[in-house]
Amino acid sequence: MKLISLLFSTWGWPQGSTSRNRFFGRYLAVVKIWPFFNRKCLKEGAVFKWMSFQDIPPVESGTHIIDVAFKKGKLAASHQAQKNKTKDLLAVKRKELARFEAVAGSLQEQLSKIVRSFPAFDGLTEFYEELFGCFLDISQLRKDLSAISWAAQKTREFQREYGQKVRGAERERIEKVRGAFLGRMASLVKRLEKKLLGLEDARKVMRGFPQLKEGLFTIAIAGFPNVGKSTLLGKLTPARPEVGSYAFTTKRLNVGYLQIGARRLQFVDTPGSLNRFDRLNVIEKQAVLVLKYRADAIVFVLDLSEPYPLKDQMKLLKEMDEYGVPVWVYLSKRDILPEKDVKGFVKRSGLKVLKYEDLVDILAKKAKF
Ligand SMILES: Nc1nc2c(ncn2[C@@H]2O[C@H](COP(=O)(O)OP(=O)(O)OP(=O)(O)O)[C@@H](O)[C@H]2O)c(=O)[nH]1
Ligand SMILES: [Mg+2]
């Protein structure tokens, strides 16, 4: 029961489900057929969040991995030598076998850990599929991970092969066998160096991906730079995004959550300026993908104090229609604007503009839906 409540608190209740029982039934059904389940079925809106792309630990270089393994080998060999207390042939062989076991074990563990720490790239939601497509080569990542996985298994093969050689060797050959074993192990890992570097680069890219939860009603906050988008996120949710009096303060997609009753709403604060896709920077592209695939509604922040011309802001507002979700226009900085300017704008534009309290009302209604 503890686990179930933890799952609920992590993922929130799925959108569109009217009762806990229905969700619970669906959840159990998925668990039951899990082994046969084509992950591709888990598209947008699915209740599972099976992998985080943002928390992968750093991928060490091949040189570091070899270093760690060889040190472990040295330590294991010296422990074994202390235990033996003699230097007869059997004791020398035991010492080397202990070294081989430790080196192979450590390499296998380190390499497998890297493979395990990366997500399964199948069954990605449309959002992540396009996000990966924009910034990473998934098929190359898959190949690199499978090469590392193969090498992890190979370490044990070498351990067995060279273990046999040590067992049957004369005293004067043992040092040579040890050298050959360590050489094979080192070159096995060195051949992975480029792949390890590639994975580390990919990890850094993934770390910058927005950490969005599946199955929550998601509201994107959009608008020109410096209009007050992050300020609004900070007002609506406990998130504390960076707010600056200069444009382009937001350099990543900030995410915040607002709990209303049993529902949790997810907000994504996008960086300002959303122009043509081919000219956008990394974060702007991510913002467009959020609007395209993840937003269930958009709060468009309009700033009549015009850090950017109103004409351009209105043009961007018009572009929001293409995402096919409700667009709520929020007027920021009303406290520093004469009320007659606001009224004049509303009359001229015919737009329904929201105050903060209006927005909160709409959200509360959405949460009850
Ligand atoms: N007086 C007043 N100032 C505001 C309001 N909202 C935002 N600001 C100020 O406007 C400036 C920009 O606010 P941000 O929230 O960083 O704007 P942003 O749209 O997130 O900017 P980018 O991240 O650069 O796109 C800051 O100096 C805020 O303090 C408001 O309602 N009233
Ligand atoms: Mg901002």
Side-chain angles (χ1 to χ4, degrees), residues 224-231 242-250 269 271-272 332-333 335-336:
F224 257 73
N226 214 27
V227 293
K229 300 179 298 300
S230 301
T231 303
E242 193 182 347
V243 168
S245 56
Y246 48 89
F248 304 106
T249 303
T250 298
D269 165 31
S332 66
K333 307 185 189 174
D335 53 313
I336 52 165

Side-chain angles (χ1 to χ4, degrees), residues 15 159 172 297 362 367:
Q15 194 60 30
Q159 182 198 346
E172 53 279 9
I362 289 185

Side-chain angles (χ1 to χ4, degrees), residues 20-286:
R20 290 185 177 208
N21 285 349
R22 236 171 79 185
F23 169 61
F24 194 53
R26 203 159 71 186
Y27 177 79
L28 277 184
V30 173
V31 170
K32 246 176 155 173
I33 59 168
W34 181 251
F36 316 104
F37 197 65
N38 178 358
R39 277 173 156 208
K40 279 205 164 64
C41 298
L42 290 173
K43 286 287 176 188
E44 222 60 31
V47 290
F48 275 92
K49 177 181 176 282
W50 63 87
M51 199 66 217
S52 168
F53 304 111
Q54 295 80 3
D55 307 325
I56 303 169
V59 179
E60 299 291 355
S61 69
T63 321
H64 176 87
I65 291 171
I66 295 167
D67 215 35
V68 169
F70 283 13
K71 272 188 190 140
K72 286 210 165 159
K74 205 170 170 188
L75 208 65
S78 85
H79 278 325
Q80 186 60 44
Q82 276 167 17
K83 262 200 250 167
N84 288 337
K85 292 193 179 98
T86 67
K87 285 198 174 171
D88 61 20
L89 186 55
L90 190 63
V92 174
K93 287 182 178 180
R94 278 208 188 116
K95 182 179 151 194
E96 290 316 319
L97 291 173
R99 185 195 311 273
F100 291 7
E101 160 68 29
V103 171
S106 165
L107 287 181
Q108 188 187 31
E109 190 194 314
Q110 292 183 77
L111 296 175
S112 306
K113 211 164 148 193
I114 293 171
V115 176
R116 279 199 309 274
S117 71
F118 273 76
F121 292 108
D122 50 344
L124 293 175
T125 61
E126 280 175 314
F127 170 68
Y128 277 115
E129 213 163 82
E130 194 165 339
L131 193 60
F132 274 102
C134 280
F135 304 111
L136 293 167
D137 181 348
I138 293 189
S139 76
Q140 188 57 50
L141 289 178
R142 277 205 185 101
K143 278 186 209 155
D144 292 350
L145 287 167
S146 114
I148 292 170
S149 179
W150 177 85
Q153 301 313 314
K154 204 77 189 155
T155 55
R156 291 301 190 180
E157 229 176 81
F158 286 159
Q159 182 198 346
R160 278 192 294 277
E161 184 187 330
Y162 285 85
Q164 285 298 338
K165 286 185 182 169
V166 161
R167 283 188 191 92
E170 306 290 329
R171 183 185 281 273
E172 53 279 9
R173 289 240 348 121
I174 288 178
E175 205 169 310
K176 251 195 163 156
V177 175
R178 179 180 69 202
F181 170 75
L182 296 178
R184 289 288 294 274
M185 295 302 241
S187 77
L188 180 75
V189 179
K190 272 186 193 144
R191 262 185 279 144
L192 300 175
E193 196 69 280
K194 230 176 111 187
K195 301 179 197 317
L196 293 165
L197 283 174
L199 287 172
E200 173 60 6
D201 287 345
R203 181 191 75 84
K204 284 183 186 153
V205 172
M206 283 190 262
R207 197 177 49 183
F209 283 178
Q211 199 154 17
L212 300 180
K213 289 185 166 60
E214 301 294 323
L216 292 182
F217 191 88
T218 300
I219 298 135
I221 304 177
F224 257 73
N226 214 27
V227 293
K229 300 179 298 300
S230 301
T231 303
L232 178 62
L233 179 77
K235 257 171 114 171
L236 285 167
T237 74
R240 289 293 160 257
E242 193 182 347
V243 168
S245 56
Y246 48 89
F248 304 106
T249 303
T250 298
K251 294 181 189 66
R252 58 174 302 142
L253 300 191
N254 298 308
V255 184
Y257 297 91
L258 174 63
Q259 188 79 35
I260 303 181
R263 283 250 188 248
R264 200 143 49 126
L265 303 178
Q266 178 168 243
F267 292 85
V268 187
D269 165 31
T270 63
S273 168
L274 302 159
N275 296 315
R276 293 240 323 268
F277 197 71
D278 53 346
R279 283 202 237 124
L280 301 181
N281 67 30
V282 171
I283 306 303
E284 287 167 331
K285 276 187 185 171
Q286 291 185 10

Side-chain angles (χ1 to χ4, degrees), residues 310-362:
L310 195 55
K311 184 168 69 65
D312 295 340
Q313 294 187 55
M314 293 298 279
K315 192 166 164 258
L316 184 60
L317 170 60
K318 190 91 204 80
E319 285 171 22
M320 295 296 119
D321 290 342
E322 76 184 65
Y323 300 110
V325 296
V327 180
W328 302 319
V329 181
Y330 167 76
L331 226 47
S332 66
K333 307 185 189 174
R334 279 182 101 127
D335 53 313
I336 52 165
L337 284 169
E339 195 51 31
K340 70 173 177 33
D341 287 7
V342 176
K343 281 192 174 139
F345 168 75
V346 172
K347 210 169 167 192
R348 274 195 314 280
S349 66
L351 275 179
K352 182 176 172 2
V353 295
L354 305 172
K355 288 184 194 160
Y356 181 73
E357 303 75 44
D358 304 329
L359 185 58
V360 171
D361 268 1
I362 289 185

